[in-house]
Amino acid sequence: MREIVVFSGNAHSGLAEQICADLGVELSPVEIHRFSNDCLQVQLQVNCRQRDVYIVQPLVPPTQEHLMELLLMIDAARGASAAQITAVMPHYAYARSDKKDASRISIGGRLVADLLVAAGADRVLTMALHAPQVHGFFSVPVDHLTAIGVLADHFRGTDLTDTVVVSPDLGNAKTATQFARLLGLPVAAGSKQRLADDRVVIDAIVGDVAGKKAIVLDDEIATGGSIIELLDRLKDLGCTQAAVACTHGLFAGKAVERLRSHPSITEVISTDTVPRPDGFPELQVSSVSKLFAAAIQRIHDGESVSSLFDGVDPTHAPPQPKLPF
């Protein structure tokens, strides 16, 4: 069988090293050089010929820099005659640019997908895309992982009496519902209107939250504006306290300050799809490295990736039995 070779750019080498440790392979070195005119050059330091190459690079700030590194690494692997190239992007930042919701606006999610394929990616492995339709932007196979099982494990064994899972918006309600089922809890959702990238209004909460503790679940926290707005509405409706859980904890701008100072928050939980932010020692991080390592091994062996999520999320797991007609 062909050998697995794993490379990483500068976006999140710690996660890449942990994935390699779980896989039982060495993280192969990459030399990234910047010319005097600010252009990047990438050289892979290990033979790739007829090997399965996996390049681990979440799109995190500086996002454009890390995207260019990823494209150049993919191109270098293709030029080195790799048998198969998989772009492992734990966080696909451009998934938020998924629709034309204003005049003359770009759809970055589709453009970046095209760039990855043009560079030479044969497959994409990612986690918790912002919207389901982003999966269809790619013209190559996409293995889409979910972290809700990992996040649910954090809360198992804790006192969940009078607890409700709350989604910040109706778009994420389906994922929140599946997360609530894993913990045997009811679910609620906010009705959100986005005014700007960091400004939202939540004008209603669908579901019963009075006198309950909340677990607020979101796919991504950037500036924290949605979460803080939601927590204020929950408090107005009689919610006593809240834990905040997300897959991609970017915590940009004033997010750390906002979350640390909010009186309703008891804990914040994220995964390590992106690097841990500075100045947030209270943040609890659950690793998804074993999930990615298992997915890489299954891709390499030609086995099912979706079976990783049997009993976790039917969206990612094998087809469910159809009703008889």
Side-chain angles (χ1 to χ4, degrees), residues 40 59-71 93-94 112:
L40 294 174
L59 298 186
V60 297
T63 304
Q64 281 56 247
E65 181 95 356
H66 292 144
L67 172 60
M68 196 64 200
E69 285 183 8
L70 176 58
L71 294 171
Y94 276 93
V112 172

Side-chain angles (χ1 to χ4, degrees), residues 35-71:
F35 291 110
S36 57
N37 65 355
D38 204 39
C39 292
L40 294 174
Q41 183 185 64
V42 163
Q43 184 178 34
L44 307 179
Q45 301 291 298
V46 170
N47 180 26
C48 300
R49 186 174 296 274
Q50 293 306 304
R51 287 166 168 80
D52 282 354
V53 172
Y54 296 84
I55 302 173
V56 182
Q57 182 88 327
L59 298 186
V60 297
T63 304
Q64 281 56 247
E65 181 95 356
H66 292 144
L67 172 60
M68 196 64 200
E69 285 183 8
L70 176 58
L71 294 171

Side-chain angles (χ1 to χ4, degrees), residues 79-197:
S81 301
Q84 178 175 269
I85 303 167
T86 301
V88 182
M89 295 186 291
H91 177 51
Y92 183 57
Y94 276 93
R96 292 184 66 175
S97 180
D98 63 325
K99 56 188 173 294
K100 187 174 180 179
D101 53 4
S103 300
R104 298 172 298 281
I105 195 168
S106 62
I107 304 177
R110 175 60 188 267
L111 174 61
V112 172
D114 288 343
L115 288 171
L116 292 164
V117 175
D122 299 299
R123 178 180 294 272
V124 169
L125 176 60
T126 188
M127 175 170 276
L129 291 171
H130 183 67
Q133 64 265 27
V134 177
H135 194 140
F137 289 174
F138 292 89
S139 57
V140 295
V142 176
D143 290 300
H144 184 204
L145 310 184
T146 177
I148 64 170
V150 173
L151 293 172
D153 286 342
H154 174 86
F155 293 98
R156 288 194 175 99
T158 63
D159 182 11
L160 297 177
T161 306
D162 294 326
T163 300
V164 59
V165 173
V166 184
S167 170
D169 55 65
L170 299 175
N172 193 55
K174 185 176 180 180
T175 301
T177 298
Q178 190 60 34
F179 179 77
R181 286 174 181 165
L182 293 177
L183 296 173
L185 298 175
V187 66
S191 175
K192 181 173 75 174
Q193 178 183 2
R194 182 169 291 281
L195 305 178
D197 179 52

